[in-house]
Amino acid sequence: MTFEATHARWAGVSLRTRLVTIIAVLLGAGLMLAGAATATLLRGTLVGQVDDKLQAEAGYQAKAVLYGQSIGEYAPSDYYVRWQFPGLEKAFLSRAAIAQYGEPSVPDIGADEAAAASGVPFTTHSSLTGSRWRAVAYPQSNVLGQQGSVVVALPLLDVDRTVRQVTLAIVLTGLGIVLIGVVVGGWAVQRSLRPLREIETTAAAIADGDLSRRVPPAPESTEVGRLSAALNGMLTQIEQAFEARTASEARMRRFVADASHELRTPLATIRGYAELYRMGALSEQAQVDDTMRRVEESATRMGGLVEDLLALARLDERRALRTDPVDLTVLAGDAISDLHALDPGRPTRLVPLTVDGGIGPCVVTGDEARLRQVVANLVGNVVQHTPPGTPVELAVGTHEGAGVLEVRDHGPGIDPAHAARVFERFYRVDASRTRESGGAGLGMAIVAAIVQAHDGTVDLSATEGGGTTVRVRVPLALAAQEQSTSGPGGS
């Protein structure tokens, strides 16, 4: 099997199987190394003990030869002893040892070879298959002055048997340890991977459309805990994004439907009068003049609606606005003048924001044309939706780092059920109003969009004594903000 095929198969194996396999391989490799080291050390120790016995016994045998004593008199039963001199060679090994271990295959070693060996032990074969001997040779002189050698050997069969038994025990123990490691490791890995399976289950539920599902939390000191926290944060953002998109799509559908509905009426009016003219139903000049007037009014209304829609579209695009210093007091004063022109009989006045405050410059940062449009829309709503002669007040001042402009009327007020929706597009408080008298319901929506584009807020509340107050807050210009926080003049 090629490396690519092996890598492909390994890549298709589950993480649990991979981890258990790695645990088994590491345990097996570690036990093999430990077993090999143990067997080698044991063999070296046992053979070293045999070598010590050989070297000690060789000295005894050499001394016996030197004094002309019998070799067999001092030779232990398992020892092989060979005395070799020129013209003379004698060897001793008990029959019991021969039957159990066989005879060692020791080559002829003269005095020179024995002297060169210097008593270094060596291993030799045996006449019995599977048996080996450990031997040592020393040069020696006999009582006649002849130079020869003495060879002493011990069987290694017991050493080999012990090493094999220990090795077998290590192998069997290692296999048991690997098996236990695989079972325990598999259980531990399965338990450790349980949070990942929970994440997988959660992801599958989310893929099926349940965006409210969350991954079970875990301690953030662990990798799974940090992953769970990150995924839950991401899922929250995704859910919010989906909710925002759904709400945006709903608003867009409602906006398109309302815009189509609003545009349909003036277009139908223009088309109807055009058909009357084409059919010759307008025979008198007065009828033609009245028809042209109505067509012009419908076209004007449609043009205003289109302008409002374009203004909202530009604001929705978050285009950058001008950031010039704008004095809200000046805008309020100009609005008072415009209100006098629209309704000369209506009582109007410019007042400070608080009773103990004064009227002075209130400079904010923004687009003057847009802020004028805000004030004009608010004043226009007062004229349109309150009875003639209803008093109106415009209050200007600063509060908590923001310039504040309030338009207060003392008319019938707005039902609290409608107060929260007056800033929605195409929303009318009084649904019974005609489009000619009640407008398209975009004025307050434009006010809210412009104020929001200035990082400000707009809200609606009841006027003390009856009526409605619309409160607009826009951040002060930097210089004005420093002045309002460092000295008197703010309200």
Side-chain angles (χ1 to χ4, degrees):
M1 184 179 294
T2 63
F3 174 78
E4 291 77 9
T6 303
H7 184 270
R9 291 190 62 181
W10 178 253
V13 176
S14 66
L15 180 59
R16 176 174 177 270
T17 304
R18 289 190 192 185
L19 293 176
V20 173
T21 302
I22 291 173
I23 291 173
V25 170
L26 291 178
L27 280 176
L31 291 173
M32 287 178 59
L33 291 176
T38 302
T40 302
L41 181 61
L42 178 62
R43 177 181 294 277
T45 301
L46 294 179
V47 172
Q49 293 175 355
V50 172
D51 291 344
D52 292 340
K53 290 180 181 181
L54 286 174
Q55 291 170 346
E57 187 60 30
Y60 289 135
Q61 295 302 320
K63 186 183 296 184
V65 173
L66 179 63
Y67 292 102
Q69 299 174 347
S70 173
I71 298 175
E73 182 180 351
Y74 294 96
S77 60
D78 289 344
Y79 279 78
Y80 168 83
V81 180
R82 189 185 70 185
W83 174 60
Q84 187 175 3
F85 288 94
L88 177 63
E89 179 178 346
K90 291 184 178 181
F92 174 81
L93 181 61
S94 67
R95 293 179 179 179
I98 293 174
Q100 186 175 2
Y101 306 114
E103 295 186 31
S105 300
V106 180
D108 292 338
I109 299 177
D112 295 336
E113 289 84 356
S118 301
V120 177
F122 59 93
T123 302
T124 185
H125 297 290
S126 172
S127 60
L128 181 64
T129 303
S131 178
R132 297 183 304 162
W133 289 75
R134 189 74 168 171
V136 62
Y138 280 97
Q140 188 58 55
S141 299
N142 59 12
V143 294
L144 301 177
Q146 294 176 323
Q147 300 294 321
S149 64
V150 174
V151 177
V152 181
L154 273 175
L156 291 178
L157 184 62
D158 293 337
V159 172
D160 293 337
R161 184 181 295 117
T162 301
V163 172
R164 284 196 298 270
Q165 291 175 349
V166 171
T167 302
L168 179 62
I170 291 174
V171 171
L172 294 177
T173 303
L175 290 176
I177 292 175
V178 170
L179 180 61
I180 294 174
V182 169
V183 174
V184 176
W187 174 81
V189 169
Q190 183 176 6
R191 185 176 180 86
S192 300
L193 293 180
R194 185 181 301 170
L196 294 181
R197 290 195 297 275
E198 293 175 347
I199 292 174
E200 179 183 358
T201 303
T202 302
I206 293 172
D208 291 337
D210 186 6
L211 296 179
S212 63
R213 288 287 295 273
R214 293 294 180 271
V215 177
E220 293 194 12
S221 57
T222 64
E223 292 79 359
V224 173
R226 290 192 292 271
L227 176 61
S228 299
L231 286 176
N232 285 336
M234 180 187 68
L235 292 174
T236 299
Q237 292 183 357
I238 291 175
E239 183 181 15
Q240 293 174 350
F242 270 95
E243 290 177 351
R245 190 185 72 175
T246 302
S248 176
E249 290 177 351
R251 287 195 303 269
M252 180 60 67
R253 286 193 295 268
R254 186 171 63 250
F255 180 78
V256 171
D258 291 340
S260 301
H261 185 69
E262 293 295 333
L263 289 171
R264 185 183 303 153
T265 300
L267 286 174
T269 301
I270 295 173
R271 180 178 179 181
Y273 284 123
E275 289 181 354
L276 287 176
Y277 180 78
R278 179 176 56 80
M279 295 169 59
L282 306 178
S283 57
E284 298 181 2
Q285 184 62 37
Q287 293 176 330
V288 174
D289 293 341
D290 182 66
T291 298
M292 290 298 103
R293 179 182 60 81
R294 293 180 181 274
V295 168
E296 183 179 5
E297 289 176 355
S298 296
T300 301
R301 173 173 173 74
M302 187 168 59
L305 180 59
V306 171
E307 289 295 329
D308 288 344
L309 291 175
L310 288 175
L312 285 172
R314 293 190 185 99
L315 291 170
D316 288 342
E317 291 176 359
R318 295 288 184 180
R319 295 183 181 180
L321 299 176
R322 295 177 63 88
T323 55
D324 300 326
V326 181
D327 192 346
L328 294 183
T329 305
V330 174
L331 299 186
D334 293 344
I336 292 291
S337 300
D338 295 341
L339 195 55
H340 276 300
L342 290 173
D343 190 356
R346 184 185 299 267
T348 58
R349 59 181 182 144
L350 180 63
V351 299
L353 185 64
T354 57
V355 177
D356 55 351
I359 299 177
C362 180
V363 181
V364 299
T365 300
D367 189 323
E368 182 175 354
R370 293 295 186 184
L371 293 176
R372 282 187 180 275
Q373 186 177 5
V374 168
V375 180
N377 283 6
L378 295 178
V379 171
N381 274 348
V382 170
V383 173
Q384 195 170 26
H385 299 297
T386 59
T390 301
V392 179
E393 299 164 358
L394 271 70
V396 181
T398 60
H399 180 69
E400 296 181 354
V404 180
L405 185 146
E406 292 184 355
V407 178
R408 308 167 182 168
D409 70 65
H410 298 275
I414 298 177
D415 191 315
H418 299 285
R421 301 190 59 189
V422 294
F423 297 107
E424 294 182 10
R425 299 176 184 185
F426 295 107
Y427 183 79
R428 297 186 183 88
V429 174
D430 186 358
S432 64
R433 291 179 180 269
T434 64
R435 291 176 176 82
E436 286 73 16
S437 62
L442 293 177
M444 296 300 283
I446 292 175
V447 168
I450 292 175
V451 173
Q452 185 179 6
H454 284 79
D455 296 327
T457 59
V458 57
D459 55 70
L460 186 144
S461 60
T463 304
E464 185 177 354
T468 302
T469 296
V470 181
R471 181 182 178 95
V472 175
R473 298 179 76 256
V474 179
L476 288 171
L478 183 60
Q481 188 173 1
E482 292 176 352
Q483 182 178 359
S484 65
T485 55
S486 61
S491 56

